Amino acid sequence: MKKLLFVLMAAFTIGVNAQSNIQWEGFAGLNVSNIGGLGSKPGFHIGAKAELGIPSIADGVYVNAGAVFSMKGCKQDYGDLGGAKTKANFLDIPIHMGYRYNINNDFSIFGEVGPYFSFGLFGKTKTEELDSDGFGDWSMTEYSYNTFGKDGLKRFDVGAGLRFGVELKQKYNLAIGYDWGFIDLYNQMEIDESGEYEDGTSLDLTPKMKTKNLTISIGYKF
């Protein structure tokens, strides 16, 4: 990761020294996210980014950086036993290096890859559980709590992503991308050397809560 960041920063510096033009883009689209493999949840994203061409490396090479509001989460359905829905809204900051190949003046294809940094903003988790009153009667009980916090997810994430797409008339583009989170976002209690939590309870078998996010977006350059 450190080597990749160094390459991207070096490329950015070279581009600035070469006085390449910066081009801005606004974009929006759909997400299909999953946290911890617990079930996919649809959402959307909207953002903007700046692109800097680096002709000193090669024609078509560029770097970009952006800010994206992204609705992520996961959804579980246990049928008659209940279910859970987690909404997790993030501010993503991707930094990508890419290459664009011009087939003609009106049509190009591109691909890019790089790290992203993500900051949890807000969200709610709602669960439904089948509970008994102790006298043989069962009913569905609902719970709701903040997604981020002591009993929820960590607010900071970092990962890597890639995007592929097509560009029309050097203005409009359609892209598909995928992001992989590197950090387990679940806020687990500290475990001592004996393998138990500090309060003496047994180990939590919650799966690794890493994010995965498929995106489809349309953009406009100006």
Side-chain angles (χ1 to χ4, degrees):
M1 176 62 69
K2 291 182 178 179
K3 292 181 179 179
L4 179 57
L5 288 174
F6 176 79
V7 171
L8 292 175
M9 291 303 296
F12 187 88
T13 302
I14 292 172
V16 171
N17 291 336
Q19 297 182 349
S20 298
N21 292 326
I22 293 178
Q23 194 168 23
W24 296 89
E25 179 184 336
F27 58 92
L30 300 176
N31 296 340
V32 180
S33 60
N34 196 324
I35 300 179
L38 297 179
S40 298
K41 180 183 177 300
F44 75 90
H45 63 272
I46 185 170
K49 61 184 175 182
E51 179 183 304
L52 179 65
I54 315 176
S56 56
I57 295 180
D59 289 338
V61 175
Y62 63 88
V63 293
N64 61 37
V68 189
F69 173 76
S70 186
M71 294 181 62
K72 304 176 186 179
C74 54
K75 184 178 180 180
Q76 303 159 270
D77 186 358
Y78 302 131
D80 293 338
L81 298 179
K85 180 188 294 185
T86 296
K87 295 181 179 180
N89 301 302
F90 286 88
L91 174 65
D92 294 341
I93 302 177
I95 304 174
H96 286 177
M97 188 170 188
Y99 177 75
R100 180 178 295 103
Y101 178 73
N102 297 322
I103 295 177
N104 55 47
N105 291 334
D106 294 327
F107 186 79
S108 304
I109 57 176
F110 65 87
E112 57 187 58
V113 64
Y116 73 87
F117 305 90
S118 194
F119 303 89
L121 300 176
F122 58 90
K124 282 286 186 180
T125 295
K126 296 181 180 180
T127 63
E128 292 183 336
E129 297 179 4
L130 187 62
D131 290 334
S132 172
D133 62 2
F135 297 96
D137 292 329
W138 294 81
S139 63
M140 199 68 70
T141 303
E142 295 185 359
Y143 303 92
S144 178
Y145 55 91
N146 292 329
T147 297
F148 300 101
K150 181 179 179 181
D151 298 322
L153 301 181
K154 301 172 185 175
R155 289 188 180 271
F156 178 73
D157 191 18
V158 62
L162 55 82
R163 293 174 71 247
F164 298 97
V166 296
E167 185 172 287
L168 304 176
K169 298 184 179 299
Q170 301 181 9
K171 286 289 184 181
Y172 309 95
N173 67 60
L174 173 66
I176 183 169
Y178 201 86
D179 295 326
W180 293 267
F182 295 157
I183 294 178
D184 182 0
L185 298 182
Y186 183 55
N187 265 328
Q188 300 186 60
M189 298 176 62
E190 294 295 331
I191 301 175
D192 62 23
E193 294 181 356
S194 67
E196 295 183 344
Y197 289 125
E198 292 179 342
D199 63 1
T201 59
S202 60
L203 301 183
D204 194 332
L205 299 179
T206 303
K208 297 293 184 180
M209 301 292 285
K210 296 183 179 181
T211 59
K212 295 180 180 180
N213 192 33
L214 172 68
T215 62
I216 302 174
S217 60
I218 56 175
Y220 175 75
K221 290 185 174 180
F222 53 93

